[in-house]
Structure formats: structure tokens, C-alpha cells
Amino acid sequence: MRLSPLAIALSLTLATVSSSVHGQRVDDDIDARSTALVEAGRAALAEGDNDRAADLVESALAVDPRNRDGFIALAEIAEERELPGKAIRYYREALTIDPNDLAALEGQGRVLVSRGAIERARRNLVRIEALCEGDCPEAVSLAAVIEAAPPAAQLAARDVLAPATEAEEPVTAQ
């Protein structure tokens, strides 16, 4: 009888802990509504409707903020809008969710090349090659973009002559 309160407390604790762990979603278990909204956003982007695409993808991330494909889609929309700073930020968000996402690494590297950060893009390429077991399209694509990049001096001159855009504002950590 003296151990009854202790046994009851222990059993309640175990029941609570096991039910909360069982109820958690796996990282890769993305809400189907979120996935559908991202696909609709990509379709709108393909049609050239960037505003509608952004709205759909942002809705997808509101439904499930763990949908890294949503962040990649937002980065692609930002690239289409010629906002490389935002694109890099969205790719970084996707990489926060999965640091080994090949599409995010390749996309971020591509945007870094456009901004003149060739060495950082090469680091992304090395990382992609380490993750791939052989040739993979992301590595081939990023390597081609790096090879085709103009010399850093030309990129620097282009940036000096170009007017500042919203994308060049400093990105703050969230």
C-alpha cells in the first residue's frame, strides 16, 4: 500500500511521455495540403504568374513550415524576380531543415555565382559531390554554372554600376 501512490504516479508519467512521443510527426511527413500548394505554386510560376505562385507557396508554408520544397520554390520565385538576396535566404531556410538537400545546395550555389561568390559556390559543389555516390545532375549543373561564370572583376564592376535593389539589403537571422 505504501508504494501505490508511487506506482500510480510512475504509470501516469510513462503514459504521458509515450503518448506525446507517439503523436509527434516525422520530419519527412509533410502535410499533403502543403505539398499540393507547392505544386500549384510551381505551376503558376511556370505560367509566369509570380505573384500567385508566391501566394500559393507561402500558404503551403503556413500549412506546414517543415516543407523544405516550399522554401526552394520561394527561392526559385525570388530568382525569377531577380532578388538574389532573398533567394539565398530561402535556400538557407531549406538547408536549415535538411543540410543535405541537393536541390537547395545547387540552387544556392547558382545564385552565389550570380552574385560573384564563386568560392562559396565551389564549397557547395564540393558538398554536393561528397553527398552523391557518383555523378548527379545537381553537381553537373552547378559545375557548369561555375565554369561559365565571368571573372570576379567583371562581376564586381557590374555590381558597382547596377542600382541597389531590395535583395541587397542585409539578411538578418530569424
Side-chain angles (χ1 to χ4, degrees):
M1 285 291 192
R2 286 193 263 172
L3 297 177
S4 294
L6 181 61
I8 291 171
L10 182 61
S11 65
L12 286 174
T13 303
L14 289 175
T16 304
V17 170
S18 66
S19 65
S20 68
V21 170
H22 180 67
Q24 291 179 350
R25 290 182 5 180
V26 179
D27 287 346
D28 292 335
D29 187 21
I30 303 299
D31 191 303
R33 294 173 299 168
S34 178
T35 303
L37 285 167
V38 169
E39 291 306 315
R42 286 188 189 278
L45 181 61
E47 294 170 2
D49 191 353
N50 293 341
D51 293 333
R52 185 167 159 261
D55 289 343
L56 288 165
V57 175
E58 287 171 357
S59 296
L61 289 172
V63 170
D64 193 342
R66 300 274 313 154
N67 188 346
R68 71 177 178 270
D69 194 40
F71 286 108
I72 293 171
L74 278 179
E76 292 167 355
I77 293 166
E79 283 183 78
E80 188 68 28
R81 291 178 168 174
E82 298 181 6
L83 299 171
K86 283 189 175 190
I88 290 170
R89 187 181 91 211
Y90 290 132
Y91 283 126
R92 185 175 45 227
E93 290 290 332
L95 290 168
T96 299
I97 295 169
D98 180 5
N100 298 326
D101 188 299
L102 297 177
L105 287 167
E106 187 266 334
Q108 185 184 50
R110 187 178 58 246
V111 177
L112 288 169
V113 168
S114 76
R115 301 301 299 150
I118 307 296
E119 286 307 311
R120 286 181 60 194
R122 281 195 178 110
R123 285 192 295 243
N124 277 22
L125 178 59
V126 168
R127 194 159 161 207
I128 290 171
E129 289 171 340
L131 292 169
C132 290
E133 294 183 15
D135 290 336
C136 62
E138 292 85 358
V140 172
S141 173
L142 184 54
V145 169
I146 290 171
E147 280 299 313
Q154 287 179 353
L155 288 171
R158 182 194 70 194
D159 289 342
V160 168
L161 298 174
T165 64
E166 173 189 344
E168 295 180 62
E169 295 176 6
V171 178
T172 58
Q174 293 178 337

